Amino acid sequence: MAKKRALITGITGQDGSYLAEYLLEQGYDVIGMIRRSSTVNFERIHHIQDKVTLVAGDLLDEVSMIHLLREHRPSEVYNLAAQSFVQTSFSQPVFTGEVTGLGVTRILDAVRVVDPGIRFYQASSSEMFGKVQAVPQSETTPFYPRSPYGVAKLYGHWITVNYRESYDMYACSGILFNHESPRRGLEFVTRKITNAVARIKLGKDKELRLGNLDAKRDWGYAKDYVRAMHLMLQQDTADDYVVSTGETYSVRRFCEIAFGHVGLNYQDYVVIDERFYRPAEVDLLVGDPAKANKNLGWKPQVTFEQLVTMMVESDLAANK
Ligand code: NAP
Ligand code: G4F
């Protein structure tokens, strides 16, 4: 049987790197779309670089994606590329809209033009629930985004649904809650904390400056979540799914566990800094993963405490 072939946009990111590993394990040919930059940023994929095919393209440029889809003819496309940092979306709202919002139309339309039979996954986000209208949040909970990023993702979600309904495309929107790992970008709160814990423990830093410690998130492990993306594209019919753990913890609790793991008290090191507050906050996210559990047979395997300690241990090793 011919090998399955998948295109991943955002392969240099946290999720792209784990998804590429996972699809290689499943026997796929993996094509990774990378954007041109003046320096190479392959840290997360250098260990699999000789096993994947990297091709140039950009979500801002539909023609680039039409060309690479024509040349490589994947059977599945995973659109993970985005300006994904919520804080930056407040200072760069137009750019975020172009990439994270309109970028989805560009790639969906490229798929429609080249081969509407290609299966499509869109990386949607629990940020779309924003000021939550129900607890926990499920596929039927109304959306109320609280950031330009959340608004852009909501556009991406609905254009995915619209292309599915208009052109009968197999297009899925995965509404993923926060997922973290040792490969998480250093600007996101979890990795910012675990990296600081390691540096403080090793005597390299003295404090950690954070914003709102009372925000609550449903945090899972990125490696668990890429399995759900793949499962969504293996069903008889395309659908949208919430992917989450069903548990929620505050940033403060994350700090307690992370500092506690190395025998420190977070209150001795964390300094509240107004610069890290957001113009509008998402106070609470907790997802209901029942549909993904039932239809996809998906369940997370790593607990919150295991995730936090795994990230601290990894940052201790990296900072030594
Ligand atoms: P990430 O680490 O920030 O990775 C983003 C990727 O997008 C990078 O590979 C980046 O390339 C690429 N990219 C950015 N702009 C691009 C453009 N114009 N053209 C092509 N590629 C571009 O994000 P992540 O955490 O892996 O998340 C993956 C996706 O899931 C994102 O869409 C994110 O919004 C969404 N999501 C994430 C979470 C989460 O908790 N992680 C939850 C829900 C949804 P460079 O390396 O060149 O910058
Ligand atoms: O780690 P964060 O920046 O992630 P956020 O905003 O929840 O977004 C992440 O998850 C979304 C899914 O819901 C993704 F779609 C998105 O791409 C991204 O991956 O912030 C988490 C919470 C926020 O409430 C923030 O206000 O932590 C709070 N926080 C407190 N101090 C901080 C800080 N966040 C950051 N980044 N830095 C701080 O110093």
Side-chain angles (χ1 to χ4, degrees), residues 12-15 35 41 58-59 80 82 84 149 153 176 179:
T12 54
Q14 171 188 257
D15 292 5
R35 54 179 174 165
N41 64 342
D58 199 301
L59 278 191
L80 309 189
S84 75
Y149 169 83
K153 280 289 179 189
L176 271 54
H179 45 278

Side-chain angles (χ1 to χ4, degrees), residues 18 21-22 25 179-181 183 221-228:
Y18 284 119
E21 279 171 10
Y22 183 72
E25 283 164 22
H179 45 278
E180 319 294 315
S181 74
R183 294 186 199 166
Y221 179 35
K223 219 170 168 175
D224 281 341
Y225 285 42
V226 300
R227 281 191 289 111

Side-chain angles (χ1 to χ4, degrees), residues 9-17 33-37 41 44 57-60 79-85 95 99-100 121-127 149 153 174-180 183-185 187-188 219 222 229:
T9 73
I11 193 169
T12 54
Q14 171 188 257
D15 292 5
S17 66
M33 187 178 95
I34 50 163
R35 54 179 174 165
R36 195 265 161 190
S37 69
N41 64 342
R44 296 184 177 106
D58 199 301
L59 278 191
L60 296 175
N79 182 37
L80 309 189
Q83 190 304 93
S84 75
F85 189 40
F95 176 72
V99 179
T100 305
Y121 173 84
Q122 168 56 17
S124 294
S125 166
S126 51
E127 267 286 311
Y149 169 83
K153 280 289 179 189
I175 307 172
L176 271 54
F177 283 61
N178 299 51
H179 45 278
E180 319 294 315
R183 294 186 199 166
R184 187 58 141 152
E187 68 275 36
F188 298 93
W219 276 299
M229 298 176 187

Side-chain angles (χ1 to χ4, degrees), residues 30-137:
V30 175
I31 316 295
M33 187 178 95
I34 50 163
R35 54 179 174 165
R36 195 265 161 190
S37 69
S38 63
T39 49
V40 172
N41 64 342
F42 294 167
E43 294 86 2
R44 296 184 177 106
I45 53 166
H46 67 85
H47 59 295
I48 49 168
Q49 220 179 305
D50 58 344
K51 300 190 180 72
V52 298
T53 305
L54 298 178
V55 293
D58 199 301
L59 278 191
L60 296 175
D61 185 343
E62 181 170 342
V63 171
S64 69
M65 294 184 285
I66 290 175
H67 284 315
L68 67 86
L69 286 170
R70 279 205 177 122
E71 189 177 343
H72 296 280
R73 300 306 296 241
S75 49
E76 297 173 11
V77 169
Y78 296 85
N79 182 37
L80 309 189
Q83 190 304 93
S84 75
F85 189 40
V86 172
Q87 185 101 38
T88 292
S89 78
F90 286 102
S91 55
Q92 299 182 23
V94 176
F95 176 72
T96 301
E98 282 287 353
V99 179
T100 305
L102 272 177
V104 186
T105 304
R106 293 192 191 95
I107 187 158
L108 261 172
D109 207 59
V111 168
R112 183 185 67 81
V113 166
V114 174
D115 176 4
I118 295 172
R119 294 189 167 202
F120 180 83
Y121 173 84
Q122 168 56 17
S124 294
S125 166
S126 51
E127 267 286 311
M128 302 189 306
F129 294 119
K131 189 170 177 177
V132 298
Q133 303 295 295
V135 179
Q137 297 84 52

Side-chain angles (χ1 to χ4, degrees), residues 154-176:
L154 192 49
Y155 174 88
H157 167 78
W158 282 120
I159 201 72
T160 302
V161 173
N162 181 258
Y163 268 55
R164 179 169 75 220
E165 294 175 354
S166 303
Y167 307 115
D168 200 23
M169 286 169 61
Y170 190 110
C172 300
S173 172
I175 307 172
L176 271 54

